[in-house]
Amino acid sequence: MVRRAYPATADEVRVDAYSSQSVRRALGAVSMLWIATAVGALLAFVTQALLAREMGPTEFGLFASSLATVTMLSPLAGFGLPQYWLQAYGVEGWGANRWLRPSLRFVTASTLLTMLTIVVWALAGAPADARPMLLLLLPVVLGLLAVNLIGSQLRLEERHQALALWQLTTPGSRVLVAVLLLLIPSLSGQFVAAGFGLISCVVAVLAVPRLLAMLRGGIALHGHGPRPDAPLMQAAPGVGYLLSQSWAYGLEAALYPIFYQISTVLLKYLNGNAQAGIFGIALGIMTAIYLIPSTLYQKFLLSKLHRWAAHDQHKFWLVYRHGNIAMLVSGILVGLALTGVAPWLVPILFGEKYRPVVKLLAVLALCVPLRFLTTGVGSALLNERHMRYRVFAMGMSALVAVVLNAVLIPGYHEMGAAMATVIGEATLLLSLYAGVRHYHANGDGFSKQP
């Protein structure tokens, strides 16, 4: 070891102390978010287990496929606005307040259109048994929109404790519905759908005061210095211009649920409710696992990555490289653990009638390292040009998933859906990696921030 020939200066001591304090704060924030995510995943898991046990594969499959349908269409409400806020504030700082008023009009119009689309589908296109479920689950659109908008605000303010509590609101409330179903078995799946809808209404109402305060400039933006004494004199853009800037975020957000949920929906339509219920359990377990990388990147790092991409690219690429290594290693370990514990854990939690889930998880475990690495690789594609490519990659992957599900489900049923899901995940990872190579091979790739 080489020893210093002179003592550390006061400035160096202060820098070291600041760096140590920053690391401790970051670790504390990530730990808090992961704990909250773990608790939320556990609550969602318990809810799913109770519902599956009490409702049975057929009724649970009807409920799960109906919820998946509403969830697939929900991102049309807001259409990428929560994600675009992170990018706009990361680049413009306090100047991005100019986007708030057109955001209100944009959210209102897109939400009404989304809910109208679900109503029309429920009344004119959906099977008769799914119609009541879809209408009762309609408020889920409002709940998911509220969670995403307030989540973006709290990320921008780096209020990690509040974000951790906010993300527990929905899963913590939904478990009460499952407990009521357990205590009163005579209640039906429509009661569960109505309960989920009521919870979403309450979450939306809780979000309104925060959103109104933000629209009046009450955001405590972090990382861009103190609030300017005088408002920045920038003209507020129109709704059309906002759409032209955020459409890529919205389209990616709309394509992802299709890519991820289409298997459950097509199983209901091509095979029946019971098969959809079996696959819904497996997908619910995978959703809980995927919260591990999404917590780190979406809830903690995303607003920082936007800021670093614009103002500190050395730190950005350092986090990118180390993050990918960590994601690959942890994804492999988690996938192996899933394969090992599923054979004895699934029957205990869900009952013997759900044992086919074990075989599905043996196949879907291949998705774990793919998804973990995809999350890390995709973090290098942030700005408007990158988002257009991400839309292409997600659209191509969704198309692959839809086509393969349609081809494989009739012959292989749930296992065909699992195989289609694995191939879709691999397609998305390769597409995003190709995009990173293309945009960053001959330069930083961030030189043309919108």
Side-chain angles (χ1 to χ4, degrees):
M1 177 183 293
V2 178
R3 295 183 179 274
R4 298 174 67 116
Y6 54 90
T9 65
D11 287 340
E12 288 174 327
V13 170
R14 282 194 295 270
V15 169
D16 289 342
Y18 177 77
S19 300
S20 299
Q21 186 179 13
S22 298
V23 170
R24 286 196 298 271
R25 276 201 307 266
L27 290 176
V30 172
S31 299
M32 183 189 308
L33 289 171
W34 260 331
I35 291 171
T37 299
V39 173
L42 178 62
L43 292 172
F45 196 78
V46 169
T47 301
Q48 188 179 47
L50 292 175
L51 293 179
R53 275 183 171 274
E54 294 302 314
M55 298 170 73
T58 299
E59 190 175 21
F60 179 75
L62 174 60
F63 170 76
S65 60
S66 300
L67 182 61
T69 301
V70 175
T71 303
M72 281 198 306
L73 294 173
S74 292
L76 296 175
F79 202 61
L81 183 63
Q83 296 86 350
Y84 181 69
W85 276 357
L86 299 178
Q87 193 271 338
Y89 277 98
V91 175
E92 300 182 23
W94 292 99
N97 281 339
R98 67 193 180 103
W99 295 100
L100 293 178
R101 292 200 176 279
S103 294
L104 177 61
R105 298 192 294 272
F106 182 71
V107 165
T108 302
S110 60
T111 301
L112 291 175
L113 182 60
T114 301
M115 298 182 76
L116 178 62
T117 301
I118 295 174
V119 170
V120 170
W121 170 250
L123 297 179
D129 61 346
R131 189 171 300 148
M133 289 279 193
L134 291 171
L135 294 176
L136 289 170
L137 289 168
L138 187 62
V140 168
V141 175
L142 300 176
L144 291 176
L145 176 63
V147 167
N148 290 330
L149 288 173
I150 298 301
S152 289
Q153 179 191 8
L154 295 174
R155 289 184 188 95
L156 291 169
E157 297 177 343
E158 297 197 4
R159 294 174 56 196
H160 303 298
Q161 183 176 3
L163 178 60
L165 294 174
W166 177 247
Q167 73 183 35
L168 288 175
T169 305
T170 299
S173 302
R174 284 180 173 180
V175 75
L176 298 178
V177 177
V179 170
L180 283 175
L181 185 65
L182 177 65
L183 297 176
I184 312 175
S186 59
L187 296 174
S188 66
Q190 291 188 18
F191 164 79
V192 177
F196 276 38
L198 178 61
I199 288 167
S200 296
C201 289
V202 173
V203 170
V205 170
L206 291 175
V208 169
R210 286 182 175 274
L211 291 174
L212 291 179
M214 184 178 179
L215 290 171
R216 292 192 293 267
I219 182 172
L221 188 62
H222 185 86
H224 292 275
R227 183 192 303 272
D229 294 331
L232 300 176
M233 300 303 293
Q234 291 179 291
V239 174
Y241 186 65
L242 174 60
L243 178 60
S244 73
Q245 297 298 305
S246 66
W247 69 266
Y249 296 89
L251 198 52
E252 187 194 31
L255 286 170
Y256 174 76
I258 297 174
F259 165 74
Y260 189 60
Q261 302 273 12
I262 193 63
S263 300
T264 306
V265 176
L266 287 181
L267 275 168
K268 185 261 187 295
Y269 287 102
L270 298 178
N271 267 170
N273 292 329
Q275 288 77 15
I278 294 295
F279 191 82
I281 291 295
L283 202 63
I285 294 172
M286 300 303 295
T287 300
I289 292 173
Y290 293 160
L291 289 173
I292 298 172
S294 69
T295 296
L296 178 61
Y297 278 88
Q298 300 297 322
K299 294 183 173 66
F300 178 72
L301 283 176
L302 187 55
S303 61
K304 295 177 171 57
L305 290 172
H306 279 294
R307 188 168 72 243
W308 294 335
H311 306 293
D312 191 349
Q313 291 182 25
H314 172 73
K315 181 180 290 188
F316 178 91
W317 288 113
L318 184 66
V319 171
Y320 175 80
R321 288 191 295 271
H322 289 290
N324 283 339
I325 295 172
M327 287 296 100
L328 178 60
V329 173
S330 59
I332 292 173
L333 294 176
V334 173
L336 291 173
L338 174 64
T339 305
V341 303
W344 62 269
L345 190 60
V346 169
I348 292 174
L349 293 176
F350 299 99
E352 284 295 329
K353 55 191 172 184
Y354 289 100
R355 185 168 283 277
V357 172
V358 175
K359 293 183 178 179
L360 291 179
L361 290 176
V363 176
L364 292 174
L366 297 172
C367 293
V368 178
L370 294 175
R371 172 60 67 90
F372 277 46
L373 190 54
T374 295
T375 305
V377 170
S379 68
L381 300 173
L382 289 171
N383 67 23
E384 184 182 358
R385 295 179 302 136
H386 301 159
M387 288 304 302
R388 290 170 182 167
Y389 179 83
R390 287 178 66 115
V391 168
F392 164 77
M394 183 59 73
M396 183 174 64
S397 302
L399 179 62
V400 168
V402 171
V403 171
L404 288 178
N405 272 288
V407 170
L408 295 175
I409 285 176
Y412 299 95
H413 312 296
E414 307 98 309
M415 193 58 69
M419 291 186 289
T421 301
V422 173
I423 297 172
E425 291 282 357
T427 302
L428 181 59
L429 173 59
L430 293 174
S431 300
L432 292 180
Y433 178 72
V436 174
R437 296 279 296 177
H438 170 73
Y439 283 104
H440 299 292
N442 300 314
D444 57 64
F446 296 115
S447 56
K448 296 181 180 180
Q449 288 281 1

